[in-house]
Amino acid sequence: MNVMHNMTRLDFEAHQDAIVVIPVGSTEQHGPHLPLGVDSYIAQGISEILATKANVILAPTLTYGYKSKPLSGGGPLFKGTIDLNAKTLIDLVYDILCEFARDGYNKIFLNNAHFENQAYIEEAMDLATAQFPNLKVVQSNWWDVLDQKTVDEIFSDVKFPGWALEHAAITETSLMMYLKPDLVRTELIPEDVLATALPYSVYPARKEMVPECGVLASPKGSTAEKGKLIVDKAIEGFLKIFDKEFK
């Protein structure tokens, strides 16, 4: 595995043809049972496994992300969620992409595990590829590459609440049980909780919009086996993207 932070300059130069994988997460509350670093741990954990299966350089994880929203993570209603403004995230990702491009690394994959980051990463991608015509950048995430059969299997014993309410629920809890089991407080997993999705956004956010525990749907039914299934399918999907976009 080519972990960039562990490589010397000469090691790095010797892998000029590799795909650079940048895990992107956030620092955000994930209820009473999961740590603030869930999105970053998931992005990094999946990327580490991916790096054992393809010719990639694993870049350092970006552990801060765009603002968590009240009905997708809790947002400003919970302490411990440390957000970036849109311009900050765009500039950060743009600068990193440009630096890799200047060094001659023109195949970059952003493995994003925080939904709210997506639009601002894409803005940075657009700006950077306009600046460097030889640069190709792809962004994806673990949930968009899951097929319906896999989703049905994960939620075979409980009702799927929809991706909008899956914050700190079965998928993320299962992923953490598989990738970082020592950080899951299973005894604090909340039950019988379900937020109500709204067809609009409102600010300032009101506390009653989000369940007091900070979880949007019950994580009951989470297992490490489900987490492994998600990881395996994500890796499979990412490798297909590599074959299509980076050959």
Side-chain angles (χ1 to χ4, degrees), residues 206-220:
R206 301 187 303 271
K207 286 188 176 180
E208 63 268 22
M209 295 171 64
V210 183
E212 187 177 348
C213 65
V215 177
L216 301 184
S218 177
K220 187 178 180 181

Side-chain angles (χ1 to χ4, degrees), residues 72-85:
S72 62
L77 299 174
F78 297 88
K79 294 179 180 179
T81 298
I82 310 299
D83 292 321
L84 301 179
N85 289 323

Side-chain angles (χ1 to χ4, degrees), residues 117-136:
N117 287 338
Q118 186 168 324
Y120 308 105
I121 290 175
E122 288 177 356
E123 177 69 6
M125 292 165 59
D126 183 39
L127 295 172
T129 53
Q131 182 75 17
F132 293 91
N134 292 328
L135 176 64
K136 188 166 193 178

